[in-house]
Amino acid sequence: MSNTPMAANPLTRAVLEIDEYASGLGWDQPARLFALVDTARLRVREPALAQQLGLGDEPETTGLTPIEQDEIPAERPLDEFLGTIAWPDAVAGCALTVERLMLPPSAEAQVPQGLDDRELAQWVADHPERQEVRMTVAVLRDGARESALRLREKDSPTEVLTGPDLVPGLAEALAATFED
């Protein structure tokens, strides 16, 4: 978490840590899924793993540790994949980082009617006002949410926008992975 700005909330710190990690990998990356585990609990229950993750000597006793999961299958739609996930009780939350194209709200009125998903994606990709964005969204079992958005054209740690309601649809999909 070397360059991650300090945040008061452990969930915000975890989201910014994941954003920093994804940023270090560069753009044009696949979606990445993370389990969020209570750091103090991890140190007690899995001391070898905590040591392997570099958590053994940290003085902080609160917080969340992101643990990257296996690769998300590229050929499967993300919403379908998320529908197959069930987390063990030791997982306090989860996070996902994914890159997408987005348009400003002013472009909504320009969207042609009757496009299928493939045609709409192509229309967005060809739009002159499109922006590439990396979204990192996290949810906890208790319902807490946090997001970080980073535009490719403003790829800097000081230009990351955070907030709980930036990507509500993705937050809902992640929250559903904790439902029975």
Side-chain angles (χ1 to χ4, degrees), residues 20-42:
E20 179 185 355
Y21 168 74
S23 176
L25 298 172
W27 286 87
D28 304 318
Q29 296 291 314
R32 297 179 187 282
L33 181 66
F34 299 83
L36 299 176
V37 296
D38 179 273
T39 303
R41 188 175 175 188
L42 178 65

